[in-house]
Amino acid sequence: MSFRYSAHIGYLFGEMPLQARVDAAARNGFSAVEHPSPYAILAETMRDLLASAGVAYTQFGLRSGNAEAGEKGIGIFADRREEFKRSVAEAIAYARTIGVDKLHAMAGVLPEAQRLPGHWDCYVENLRFAAREAGQHGISIIIEAMSAQAVPDYYIDTPDRAVEAIEATGAPNIGLLLDIFHTASTGLDIEQIIRRHSSRILHVHIADAPGRHEPGSGQIDFDRVEAVLEEVGYGGLLGCEYSPADNTEAGLGWLQAKLA
């Protein structure tokens, strides 16, 4: 099969304003776009941008705290439960307007020495809440592991740990956002991880390693990655969450070759 690709417009087309990136993605052969925090653009405006460009919006995140302060999620913090619940309602409303069926619930950043069992319990409880609310609208919750090399002290640092959280919730509409770059950066065997968690994978992110640039710039064999994903029955999009080595469009030769 030929996979379709989603442009992560937080990384790609950064040479232009956010609103213009939707059309740029469509012009360059992407079937969809994604961005963890689209809230600066009104949902109705985003819906119109997507319709005009003829692309879908793949997934985005619940509000994840103060990015400038290094926050990447609030799900593990008991004193922010109400903030988390408000973010769920806001995200569902936005998702319904633009037709998104996957929402990313980030856990948070916390040094190992400060972690307590209560942080895990809080995250699982919050995930159950998010899944229950989202499920009423046909929306799934996704969890992504982020490598310590790229996001130091992120609470969920391996796909195994992410799946442990998924299973702890017992919710049918929670799945894995498998990031190939983070998996490789952690030193894990990509093929083994795909096969081990194939039934849980709802979305996939790609970037080469080392460097986190375009596929083909590093050491990951993406032809093999795609072959294994096809073997296990993954039929979703591949989200391109990489940092262009230079101008985004100048580095899209790999995509043109895939689409040829």
Side-chain angles (χ1 to χ4, degrees):
M1 67 177 288
S2 297
F3 282 99
R4 295 176 302 130
Y5 298 87
S6 171
H8 189 305
I9 55 175
Y11 281 76
L12 305 188
F13 306 107
E15 306 87 3
M16 55 190 71
L18 183 59
Q19 291 197 18
R21 298 176 202 175
V22 176
D23 186 62
R27 288 198 318 271
N28 283 280
F30 290 97
S31 299
V33 297
E34 55 189 273
H35 189 291
S37 183
Y39 303 105
I41 298 175
L42 289 175
E44 291 77 12
T45 301
M46 180 64 79
R47 178 188 61 202
D48 293 344
L49 289 171
L50 296 168
S52 177
V55 294
Y57 202 113
T58 310
Q59 61 87 24
F60 65 90
L62 310 182
R63 287 197 182 266
S64 55
N66 184 351
E68 294 182 0
E71 293 185 338
K72 291 187 77 69
I74 59 175
I76 60 175
F77 301 112
D79 61 344
R80 302 178 77 170
R81 277 197 179 100
E82 292 307 312
E83 182 182 353
F84 182 90
K85 289 180 178 179
R86 290 194 299 272
S87 77
V88 171
E90 180 183 18
I92 289 172
Y94 198 108
R96 294 184 69 193
T97 300
I98 68 171
V100 163
D101 63 0
K102 289 180 286 293
L103 294 173
H104 182 194
M106 293 188 191
V109 171
L110 189 66
E112 188 80 35
Q114 299 176 25
R115 297 179 186 180
L116 300 170
H119 292 111
W120 177 263
D121 295 341
C122 181
Y123 190 43
V124 171
E125 179 184 324
N126 278 336
L127 289 173
R128 284 193 189 115
F129 172 83
R132 184 169 60 249
E133 295 297 306
Q136 297 177 36
H137 306 285
I139 297 171
S140 295
I141 301 298
I142 50 178
I143 303 174
E144 178 184 20
M146 302 184 197
S147 62
Q149 294 86 342
V151 187
D153 297 319
Y154 189 69
Y155 190 75
I156 301 294
D157 60 353
T158 67
D160 288 350
R161 186 65 164 164
V163 170
E164 187 180 351
I166 291 167
E167 292 177 346
T169 68
N173 61 320
I174 301 186
L176 178 65
L177 193 175
L178 179 64
D179 188 294
I180 301 301
F181 167 78
H182 285 306
T183 301
S185 298
T186 308
L188 299 171
D189 185 296
I190 296 169
E191 181 171 343
Q192 287 183 5
I193 291 295
I194 291 173
R195 294 189 185 282
R196 184 184 307 156
H197 300 308
S198 60
S199 65
R200 299 290 191 182
I201 299 172
L202 294 185
H203 189 44
V204 174
H205 275 164
I206 60 172
D208 218 329
R212 203 171 190 172
H213 299 311
E214 291 87 346
S217 63
Q219 300 175 355
I220 297 175
D221 182 348
F222 282 99
D223 287 339
R224 181 59 185 161
V225 169
E226 292 190 10
V228 176
L229 287 169
E230 182 177 357
E231 284 177 28
V232 301
Y234 177 72
L237 293 156
L238 300 183
C240 300
E241 189 187 47
Y242 64 78
S243 299
D246 193 2
N247 175 277
T248 302
E249 293 187 344
L252 288 176
W254 71 270
L255 178 63
Q256 304 312 321
K258 289 284 188 183
L259 299 178

